[in-house]
């Protein structure tokens, strides 16, 4: 048993949640210890080993204690003792004012440093635990598998501070409030929101004890997050519909049969996109599951050029960068449990190397290709790294300047020709043809639908082809825009955004040079 320390005991949010996130996403350099239970209880069997991956825990009968004992242990206080990391060591802290804590048979009046092989006992004749520090290959948290780390994170970091986590989540939503897909942030408004966020962060630790007392959440086992591609595929296929042949004329579209016949030759290279949002860490993908048993995701369109590039809009690949605060809040609230919510926040703010990734399958009547959003080439134009305070940042995008594009070289030969030069020099008032899988129409029929619009001016306006007379809908985003050049159809752009019902913008292929 090592010497006595007089440093004040403090059970901090950073020592629990902060350390837990570090152990979950950056485990290679973090040490941990094991508590070996020597007495059976309702919650632990004799001989059971409990890995501790956070920096501070409490032992006692209270439901918020990470090491919990049942009501049959009358001499164990509700908050009996704590173990707190101090530098590269851990110390045992006496919390109870009525029941003693013993280390190797000696009473601990305040705090003592722990050493490998020490024995902890809560009260006279109370339960005993062995303190073990792993060595060798098992010395760091990285030796514990990801699924097991997620379970430990849920039990040791999230459960004691569930309400505090909710407060911090609200801080994040407040901090990103006002962010819209196609709107610029107002500097003064943003500064005010950050000031509010900082104030709430300062208050959260002060209110921690009250939050813990009022938190009556019950334990739930964490669902295993399957990372195999087969599971991701099955989740997507479960909600997908067969892709049918034959371009269908939109109802009320007018005399368009000639156009659809001419464009039908390209149908096999126009794809319906289906995406699932995941958190990626060191090559592993964890799909974000919702409380309803589904997943976060979206559908869109894309197409394959004759040069082998699969083309779509950036917001169809990295949609979270374009989401509004309201959308982020709804996605967060829909997630299955606290662990998935923590993963979502870690991926959104890119904490400890975690980041969000979309797993994507694209289908046409005759082809299927699989991608990850990280494989696409995009531009950083229009992106901003927003500082949320306390080391948290997140990336936002608005598609400004015609930056709403993404492509990937597939090595496959498509049938759709492109005219890059023409895409930047279209005349005013000319008709453009659109094909894709809009929500509520093509998505139900499983068929590629025809739409159209016309240019509202000559050439580009801030890198975008502005259009009017738009008669296509959401879901067409990322799909091809064709120009009829004397009977020859050529792809000139990507369906990007809409303004009101009939206006919008097309990203020209010129921007992909």
């Amino acid at each position: 048993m090592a010497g006595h320390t007089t440093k004040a005991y403090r059970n901090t949010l950073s020592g629990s949640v902060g350390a837990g996130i570090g152990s979950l996403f950056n485990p290679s350099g973090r040490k941990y210890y094991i508590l070996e239970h020597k007495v059976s209880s309702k919650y632990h069997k004799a001989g059971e080993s409990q890995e501790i991956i956070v920096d501070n825990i409490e032992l006692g009968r209270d439901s918020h204690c990470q090491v919990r004992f049942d009501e049959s242990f009358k001499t164990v206080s509700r908050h009996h003792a704590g173990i707190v990391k101090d530098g590269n060591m851990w110390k045992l802290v006496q919390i109870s004012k009525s029941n003693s804590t013993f280390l190797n048979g000696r009473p601990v009046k305040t705090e003592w440093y722990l050493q490998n092989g020490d024995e902890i006992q809560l009260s006279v004749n109370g339960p005993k635990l062995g303190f073990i520090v792993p060595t060798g290959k098992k010395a760091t948290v990285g030796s514990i598998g990801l699924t097991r780390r997620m379970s430990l994170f849920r039990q040791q970091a999230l459960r004691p501070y569930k309400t505090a986590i909710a407060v911090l989540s609200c801080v994040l939503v407040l901090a990103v409030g006002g962010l819209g897909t196609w709107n610029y942030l107002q500097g003064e408004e943003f500064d005010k929101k950050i000031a509010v966020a900082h104030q709430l962060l300062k208050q959260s630790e002060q209110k921690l004890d009250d939050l813990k007392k009022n938190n009556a959440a019950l334990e739930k086992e964490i669902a295993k997050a399957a990372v195999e591609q087969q599971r991701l595929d099955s989740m997507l296929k479960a909600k997908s519909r067969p892709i049918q042949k034959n371009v269908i004329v939109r109802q009320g579209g007018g005399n368009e049969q000639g156009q659809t016949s001419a464009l039908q030759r390209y149908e096999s290279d126009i794809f319906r996109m289906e995406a699932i949002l995941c958190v990626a860490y060191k090559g592993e993908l964890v799909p974000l599951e919702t409380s309803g048993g589904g997943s976060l995701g979206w559908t869109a369109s894309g197409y394959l050029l004759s040069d082998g590039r699969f083309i779509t809009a950036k917001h169809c690949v990295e949609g979270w960068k374009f989401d509004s605060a309201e959308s982020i809040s709804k996605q967060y609230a829909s997630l299955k449990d606290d662990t998935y919510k923590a993963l979502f926040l870690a991926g959104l703010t890119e904490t400890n190397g975690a980041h969000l990734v979309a797993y994507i399958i694209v289908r046409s009547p005759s082809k299927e290709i699989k991608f990850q959003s990280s494989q696409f080439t995009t531009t950083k134009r229009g992106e901003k790294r927003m500082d949320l305070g306390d080391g948290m940042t997140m990336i936002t995008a608005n598609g400004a300047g015609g930056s709403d594009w993404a492509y990937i070289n597939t090595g496959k030969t498509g049938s759709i020709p492109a005219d890059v030069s023409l895409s930047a020099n279209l005349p005013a008032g000319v008709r453009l043809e659109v094909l894709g899988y809009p929500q509520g129409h093509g998505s139900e029929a499983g068929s590629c639908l025809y739409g159209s619009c016309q240019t509202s001016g000559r050439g580009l306006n801030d890198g975008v082809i502005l259009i009017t007379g738009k008669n296509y809908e959401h879901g067409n985003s990322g799909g091809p825009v064709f120009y009829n050049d004397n009977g020859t159809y050529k792809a000139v752009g990507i369906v990007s955004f809409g303004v009101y019902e009939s206006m919008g913008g097309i990203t020209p292929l010129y921007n992909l040079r």
Side-chain angles (χ1 to χ4, degrees), residues 28 46 63 114 150 197 294 309 366 402 417 439 444 464 489 502 507 512:
S28 58
S63 62
L114 290 161
M150 289 175 63
R309 287 182 297 170
S366 60
Q439 296 174 4
E444 294 175 359
V464 175
Y489 280 94
S502 61
T507 301
L512 278 64

Side-chain angles (χ1 to χ4, degrees), residues 393-411:
T393 64
M394 64 175 288
I395 296 176
T396 67
N398 55 29
S403 58
D404 190 24
W405 56 264
Y407 73 85
I408 183 171
N409 290 305
T410 65

